[in-house]
Amino acid sequence: MLTDLYISGDSPLHRAHPAWKLVQLFLFCTILFVVTHPVMLALGLTTVALGYAVAGLGPRAAYTAIRPAFFVLAIIFAAQLWLETLWLAIYVTLRLAALLMAAALVTYTTRASEFTEGLLALLSRAPSWVPKAKIALAISLVWRFIPMIRAQFDEVREAQRARGLDRNMLALVVPLVVRTLKTADEVAEAITARSLD
């Protein structure tokens, strides 16, 4: 079953138009990558923190957003530390964490159906040959697969932990891939049955 990460609320961010939130997220990520200055990173982290406060979400929600990426962040930090300097390793890791938390903030405050509507609104001025509905459907499916994969990974990890295999990456990845592909086949069959392919 496909779910989303939406957290119900009545904050200004929850009520904001999905297209506006997507545009703001795109601008935020672009600026944070283009302007490589510590002050900009500090402003970005402050903006994300204010966004969570406005949405009525605490530090726990921000932690949940970056928790699945801790392993990747650790690898990036170690690589930058080995190739460059400690300061650059900290900077790159914090910037990626800020981007992840900003993206999660949008998912926390936007329902999957609203996200699809926002994408269609952004694509409304695209040429007629652009398959707007199919693009919106594809991206919204990705949007909803992310929490599903996370939930399945937690289930597989708990099952393998009970078997004493929680440190075996192969034992974790193979069942997760099989379950994800099976779900993808079921979703594809449902889309085909509705003549949306």
Side-chain angles (χ1 to χ4, degrees):
M1 177 179 176
L2 297 182
T3 57
D4 56 42
L5 295 174
Y6 177 76
I7 300 175
S8 61
D10 193 35
S11 70
L13 275 177
H14 284 84
R15 297 193 302 269
H17 195 280
W20 179 85
K21 285 188 276 191
L22 290 173
V23 169
Q24 294 299 316
L25 178 62
F26 174 77
L27 292 176
F28 176 82
C29 295
T30 302
I31 292 172
L32 209 58
F33 256 102
V34 172
V35 184
T36 56
H37 194 279
V39 173
M40 183 54 64
L41 177 59
L43 287 174
L45 290 170
T46 303
T47 302
V48 171
L50 288 174
Y52 275 83
V54 169
L57 304 174
R60 183 182 181 87
Y63 169 76
T64 302
I66 62 174
R67 184 185 62 185
F70 274 162
F71 183 68
V72 176
L73 291 173
I75 292 176
I76 291 173
F77 179 83
Q80 291 296 325
L81 184 61
W82 183 53
L83 296 172
E84 298 292 340
T85 63
L86 175 61
W87 158 245
L88 188 60
I90 294 173
Y91 177 86
V92 171
T93 305
L94 286 178
R95 182 174 64 178
L96 182 56
L99 296 176
L100 290 173
M101 288 187 291
L105 180 59
V106 175
T107 65
Y108 288 151
T109 59
T110 310
R111 290 187 176 89
S113 57
E114 295 173 342
F115 179 69
T116 304
E117 293 170 5
L119 286 172
L120 288 173
L122 291 176
L123 293 170
S124 61
R125 298 187 181 276
S128 58
W129 53 266
V130 175
K132 306 177 185 64
K134 290 183 179 180
I135 292 174
L137 175 63
I139 297 177
S140 64
L141 283 176
V142 172
W143 177 286
R144 303 190 75 175
F145 258 93
I146 292 172
M148 182 212 69
I149 292 173
R150 179 188 296 179
Q152 288 188 350
F153 175 77
D154 290 338
E155 291 175 7
V156 171
R157 184 174 57 183
E158 289 300 320
Q160 301 297 48
R161 181 177 294 164
R163 298 180 178 92
L165 299 173
D166 56 311
R167 295 187 180 276
N168 187 335
M169 289 302 296
L170 194 61
L172 291 173
V173 172
V174 172
L176 179 63
V177 170
V178 170
R179 292 181 64 176
T180 302
L181 291 176
K182 182 179 178 182
T183 304
D185 283 340
E186 293 172 354
V187 172
E189 290 174 1
I191 292 174
T192 303
R194 291 167 176 78
S195 301
L196 296 175
D197 59 331

